[in-house]
Amino acid sequence: MDLPLPLIIWDGSNMTDQDMSNRHGYVQDVAEEDDNFASATDRAYSFRHPTVLAGVVWKNPVGTASGTFNLDACGRFYDVSQLGSVSTKGVSPVPWEGNPVPRSAESAAGTVNAVGLQNPGVDVYLNDELPRLKHLGATVVTNVAGHSDEDYCQVVEKLADSPADMLEINVSCPNVSSGGMAVGSDPHALERLMKKLRPLTDKPMIIKLTPNITDMTEVARAAEANGADALSMINTFVGMRINTQTGKPIIANITGGVSGPAIHPMALAFVYRVRQALPKIPIIGIGGIATVDDALEFLYAGANAVEVGSAALIDPTAPLHIARQLDQELDSRPELAELLKKGQTWPLE
């Protein structure tokens, strides 16, 4: 079993990407004095139970959720190549500064955040983070963001011949081509976008679905019918918090995305329903995964893999710990392990 690590809790409400990296760097300097920390992160581990998504082999079924992984920060804590995959922050055609601060607020069982997809743009990503991740041996899922169909097309075209292993299209962004609503809320808008994106690359394309919709199965069907190779679900729910001393919203953007353990049961239900409707397409389950049992629930609901997000903001090593614990659990669940190895899913009744 993995040795215990120090619990690291931090408030990222006013933090930029650089702030996050610096904060994790500070904690790492302290943690390096702890022998348990060093032995747990440096010890080599050979995973026994891979999974397959759209022809891409993940050495284990656990990846990072987009928006919660930063190489300069997380790379201080563990060998990122040990994860099944690394899903990077959303990449846009030009640099995005993100939303004004404060950007996040706590809730009883999670957080509300409105970072605004801050990133340096696709050109910087191609010249910096992506080459470094591949040099380390990571399986990379590049998340693609845009405010218009043209934005998405520009990014995908530049990534078409890149070393990225898979592309994850975040269709939860407000989209001017769709009258300001998210493409993922409208199967017809998603169909239009997919018809533009699919001819641009042969790379496996994952569509990341929003839960802020009446029937996700309609959008999932549109994605599969128009060339999606896999689905990831769910993105965050819309929520807000109010400062009762001032009577005003805590987050400068007023609303944000709710993530963490609070959304886990709903995320499971979405995965289950979409799997019932679409028995073949690979699914990555996301939402409130903090323990190995949380991950197992998604696999039994019909997912081929999972991504860990909010838990990594409390303990940066959470994705790796869950991956190792899941590998040990799969030793005693050979039927599930064999299905994952073949790129298949648990047979739901």
Side-chain angles (χ1 to χ4, degrees):
M1 297 295 290
D2 290 333
L3 294 172
L5 298 184
L7 183 64
I8 302 161
I9 302 177
W10 60 281
D11 176 12
S13 60
N14 293 298
M15 290 188 175
T16 64
D17 285 348
Q18 187 60 49
D19 294 330
M20 182 189 295
S21 180
N22 291 341
R23 170 60 175 162
H24 279 305
Y26 167 77
V27 176
Q28 172 66 7
D29 291 340
V30 176
E32 282 175 348
E33 299 177 5
D34 189 316
D35 291 338
N36 286 348
F37 184 95
S39 61
T41 55
D42 293 341
R43 186 176 64 241
Y45 185 94
S46 180
F47 286 94
R48 299 175 294 278
H49 303 295
T51 190
V52 181
L53 289 96
V56 177
V57 178
W58 293 18
K59 63 185 61 177
N60 61 70
V62 180
T64 63
S66 178
T68 63
F69 176 88
N70 176 289
L71 177 58
D72 291 327
C74 298
R76 298 171 184 263
F77 290 90
Y78 59 86
D79 176 1
V80 299
S81 71
Q82 287 201 27
L83 292 174
S85 75
V86 170
S87 185
T88 58
K89 285 201 67 173
V91 178
S92 55
V94 296
W96 285 358
E97 293 184 0
N99 291 326
V101 297
R103 293 175 167 181
S104 71
E106 294 183 3
S107 64
T111 63
V112 185
N113 82 85
V115 174
L117 295 168
Q118 175 184 328
N119 76 97
V122 65
D123 292 332
V124 173
Y125 174 77
L126 284 169
N127 290 320
D128 181 21
E129 185 174 8
L130 180 57
R132 288 194 290 144
L133 282 168
K134 294 308 297 180
H135 177 73
L136 293 171
T139 297
V140 179
V141 177
T142 300
N143 186 278
V144 178
H147 288 318
S148 68
D149 290 4
E150 290 68 30
D151 282 354
Y152 287 106
C153 289
Q154 287 180 45
V155 177
V156 169
E157 193 166 21
K158 288 191 174 185
L159 292 169
D161 297 321
S162 74
D165 297 282
M166 309 179 83
L167 305 182
E168 182 181 53
I169 313 300
N170 178 8
V171 294
S172 303
C173 307
N175 189 288
V176 296
S177 304
S178 300
M181 72 175 182
V183 171
S185 301
D186 181 356
H188 300 295
L190 181 57
E191 177 182 1
R192 182 194 65 227
L193 176 62
M194 289 298 297
K195 285 182 176 179
K196 294 178 181 178
L197 297 183
R198 189 67 276 181
L200 298 178
T201 181
D202 292 329
K203 287 188 181 296
M205 193 175 294
I206 305 163
I207 303 301
K208 187 167 186 176
L209 299 179
T210 174
N212 301 302
I213 184 173
T214 302
D215 186 359
M216 186 183 286
T217 60
E218 291 185 8
V219 178
R221 289 182 192 278
E224 182 184 48
N226 289 280
D229 300 292
L231 305 172
S232 59
M233 64 182 78
I234 56 174
N235 211 325
T236 55
F237 287 87
V238 174
M240 69 181 296
R241 296 302 308 276
I242 292 177
N243 183 332
T244 56
Q245 300 302 310
T246 65
K248 296 180 179 181
I250 295 174
I251 298 174
N253 195 61
I254 301 179
T255 63
V258 181
S259 61
I263 73 169
H264 180 67
M266 289 85 82
L268 278 173
F270 277 110
V271 169
Y272 178 85
R273 289 170 186 158
V274 171
R275 174 54 73 215
Q276 293 291 304
L278 303 174
K280 300 296 184 182
I281 193 167
I283 293 176
I284 303 169
I286 312 169
I289 298 173
T291 69
V292 66
D293 282 340
D294 295 336
L296 279 167
E297 283 190 84
F298 273 110
L299 299 181
Y300 283 126
N304 302 73
V306 299
E307 290 178 355
V308 178
S310 295
L313 302 181
I314 300 173
D315 174 1
T317 64
L320 182 58
H321 275 310
I322 292 171
R324 291 180 177 180
Q325 292 163 6
L326 180 59
D327 203 56
Q328 294 161 8
E329 282 290 336
L330 289 174
D331 284 343
S332 61
R333 303 166 193 260
E335 293 182 354
L336 176 59
E338 188 63 23
L339 288 170
L340 295 171
K341 183 179 179 180
K342 295 177 180 179
Q344 300 173 0
T345 56
W346 190 253
L348 299 172
E349 297 297 332

